[in-house]
Amino acid sequence: MNVDKNDDALFVYGDKYSKGLPKKANFALALITAVIMAITLCLSPITAEAATKNSAKAMRLHVKGTQLMNSKNKPIQLKGVSTHGLAWYPQYVNKKAFKKLRDDWHVNTIRLALYTEEYGGYTAGGNKKELKALIDKGVKYTKSLGMYCIIDWHILSDGNPMKHQKAAKSFFKEMAKKYGSYGNVIYEICNEPNGKTSWNTVRKYANNVIPVIRKYDENGIILVGTPTWSQDVDKVAKNPVKLKKNVMYTAHFYAATHKKWNRDKIIKAIKAGTPVFISEFSITEASGNGKINYSEAKKWKALIKKYKLSRVGWSLSNKSEESATIKKSCKKTSGWSTKDLTAWGKWLRTYYRDSK
Ligand code: IDC
């Protein structure tokens, strides 16, 4: 299935029916269409769902300057939710869950967090076959729902991505080979470099991994983590990766911990020409717990809007921690109502429903 073609459907409709008509007729047609659309939107809940579906069509993306663009060369801001560790909470990788997130939360991107070293991690004795089967499901469900999917090599306690470079290369080779033609897959090659890992080291790693992906997927978006748990996005501009095409650099924030200082880094990076992608955030503390900071959250929202950034909320799980979006008491793995959501889950849903 060619996703690009689908996405064009709406536009073709507009052009086909307006071409060649006199101006007055054009205006009348537009007016009638607007009235009909307004009436159907009010009367039919299904139409609202269809509208979400259309705006979330997973056509190929590309980067222009610092901005993520859709296939029509228009800026696009992805709205995503990240799974918790795939080994921890595999039950949320199901099509009904993703559909609910798409239609009710207006999410168009699912991030699949494949931890490397933590619990059941890919390089720590985790069941590789099962983990890859979950990724396969995730990619296929998102594809069929017209959503994007981020395959996230979730380094964390292994602060230096070089530690598992060999495994990363063979993993991403396999991913790009399998999914390179899908058009909805985004590769996140290292979640959060940390400890003493410098940008120079991350850059070397990226320069080694990116060509492996490019061999099979020439144009897919690639996300590169930055030092200090993906905060130091301002370090990139002086020395970006070698193969720059469709590469973005990640900035992560947890609003109750990361404040103006971190927003300033992002602004500095963008002004210096670095494409920034927020592949993980929450409005709790960086521990994934602690009190939500709503006033800082508001400031982050303003930054995201101003710079048309994409963002992905952490996490799709019912773990008993503030940054989980589903309440601990809720055992449903799809079809949640708002009362099943945590304070943060409710906030995220409202935020996505109300913004681009
Ligand atoms: C946290 C999870 C928590 C888990 C821990 C593992 O929320 O349940 O026990 O990882 O060490 C990140 C990381 C992300 C963290 C999250 C919250 O990318 O893996 O998840 N966080 O601490 N960066 C900043 C915050």
Side-chain angles (χ1 to χ4, degrees), residues 15-247:
D15 283 353
K16 199 158 128 191
Y17 288 91
S18 60
K19 239 175 232 161
L21 288 175
K23 263 192 188 157
K24 260 191 190 166
N26 243 338
F27 177 71
L29 184 66
L31 199 66
I32 293 164
T33 315
V35 171
I36 293 173
M37 275 174 81
I39 293 171
T40 33
L41 266 178
C42 290
L43 295 181
S44 148
I46 298 162
T47 316
E49 184 185 313
T52 321
K53 239 185 261 174
N54 285 330
S55 59
K57 278 274 150 58
M59 66 289 193
R60 275 220 180 251
L61 302 167
H62 65 279
V63 180
K64 190 175 176 190
T66 59
Q67 182 62 52
L68 186 64
M69 311 290 270
N70 68 15
S71 65
K72 303 207 167 50
N73 218 19
K74 294 263 158 44
I76 182 169
Q77 290 178 262
L78 300 186
K79 298 187 212 182
V81 169
S82 178
T83 66
H84 194 286
L86 287 175
W88 258 292
Y89 292 95
Q91 64 271 38
Y92 294 98
V93 181
N94 71 78
K95 197 169 173 183
K96 276 191 188 159
F98 292 3
K99 187 174 186 302
K100 176 74 179 173
L101 292 172
R102 183 193 69 177
D103 297 340
D104 184 38
W105 297 34
H106 297 191
V107 159
N108 57 15
T109 304
I110 303 289
R111 178 183 191 234
L112 303 168
L114 178 73
Y115 275 89
T116 42
E117 286 206 348
E118 272 75 6
Y119 178 84
Y122 192 81
T123 56
N127 188 328
K128 291 189 179 155
K129 218 176 140 197
E130 272 174 25
L131 290 166
K132 281 189 281 197
L134 282 167
I135 291 178
D136 195 60
K137 281 187 190 168
V139 171
K140 287 177 178 155
Y141 297 153
T142 49
K143 167 82 174 163
S144 70
L145 290 164
M147 300 169 86
Y148 296 98
C149 175
I150 301 175
I151 300 178
D152 160 36
W153 184 255
H154 203 89
I155 69 159
L156 192 59
S157 52
D158 44 339
N160 187 339
M162 283 295 190
K163 186 170 175 194
H164 297 298
Q165 175 174 262
K166 200 168 162 236
K169 280 169 82 173
S170 78
F171 172 77
F172 281 110
K173 179 182 173 186
E174 197 178 333
M175 294 299 111
K177 219 170 160 178
K178 241 175 163 171
Y179 309 121
S181 64
Y182 278 50
N184 73 323
V185 171
I186 295 171
Y187 310 87
E188 183 168 0
I189 64 173
C190 52
N191 167 50
E192 291 184 352
N194 61 79
K196 292 203 172 77
T197 311
S198 66
W199 167 243
N200 215 19
T201 301
V202 181
R203 182 178 178 269
K204 267 188 209 143
Y205 166 81
N207 283 339
N208 292 339
V209 175
I210 292 171
V212 173
I213 297 173
R214 285 290 175 249
K215 191 166 173 212
Y216 301 99
D217 188 347
E218 278 179 33
N219 299 309
I221 303 295
I222 297 176
L223 305 178
V224 181
T226 55
T228 325
W229 296 281
S230 289
Q231 292 166 41
D232 296 345
V233 76
D234 57 328
K235 298 249 168 83
V236 174
K238 275 195 195 133
N239 207 5
V241 298
K242 279 188 198 152
L243 299 173
K244 296 181 186 56
K245 186 180 170 192
N246 292 344
V247 168

